[in-house]
């Protein structure tokens, strides 16, 4: 019975210490990020890419990109058609 009383007292002390710690909290901070703008841009990107591809096709021009850090070179579809397949 003495063991149960000691454990109960220890548990009550732990609860009091937890309550004291909670009372010492001065401020709570919360971080909220508005992702509406990002979602809107992500939705518009495919349409913008389609417009660019169509404009390059109509004007028979192309574009390419070069990632210097990886050495990767990316050609637009129209650049590939111009350089590999030739005109027509």
């Amino acid at each position: 019975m003495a063991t149960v009383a000691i454990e109960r007292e220890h548990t009550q002390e732990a609860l009091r210490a937890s309550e004291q710690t909670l009372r010492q909290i001065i401020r709570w901070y919360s971080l909220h990020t508005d992702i509406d703008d990002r979602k809107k841009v992500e939705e518009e990107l495919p349409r913008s890419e389609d417009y660019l591809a169509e404009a390059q096709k109509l004007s028979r021009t192309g574009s390419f990109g070069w990632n210097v850090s990886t050495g990767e070179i990316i050609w637009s579809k129209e650049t590939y058609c111009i350089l590999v397949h030739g005109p027509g």
Side-chain angles (χ1 to χ4, degrees):
M1 199 65 151
T3 306
V4 172
I6 292 172
E7 286 180 13
R8 174 183 270 168
E9 186 176 322
H10 178 69
T11 303
Q12 288 175 345
E13 285 177 24
L15 285 171
R16 280 192 292 272
S18 295
E19 287 174 357
Q20 228 175 1
T21 302
L22 288 174
R23 285 190 199 115
Q24 291 175 357
I25 293 174
I26 297 170
R27 274 186 202 109
W28 287 96
Y29 291 95
S30 179
L31 176 65
H32 298 278
T33 304
D34 185 5
I35 62 169
D36 289 339
D37 291 339
R38 180 183 176 136
K39 288 173 71 175
K40 184 177 178 182
V41 169
E42 287 175 352
E43 290 170 359
E44 291 175 0
L45 182 61
R47 184 178 54 192
S48 179
E49 289 172 337
D50 290 341
Y51 286 150
L52 175 61
E54 185 64 23
Q56 287 182 352
K57 183 177 177 182
L58 291 171
S59 65
R60 299 290 296 153
T61 58
S63 62
F64 72 94
W66 176 33
N67 185 333
V68 178
S69 62
T70 64
E72 179 184 24
I73 297 176
I74 303 166
W75 288 2
S76 68
K77 184 177 177 182
E78 194 61 27
T79 300
Y80 182 79
C81 289
I82 294 167
L83 297 177
V84 176
H85 297 294

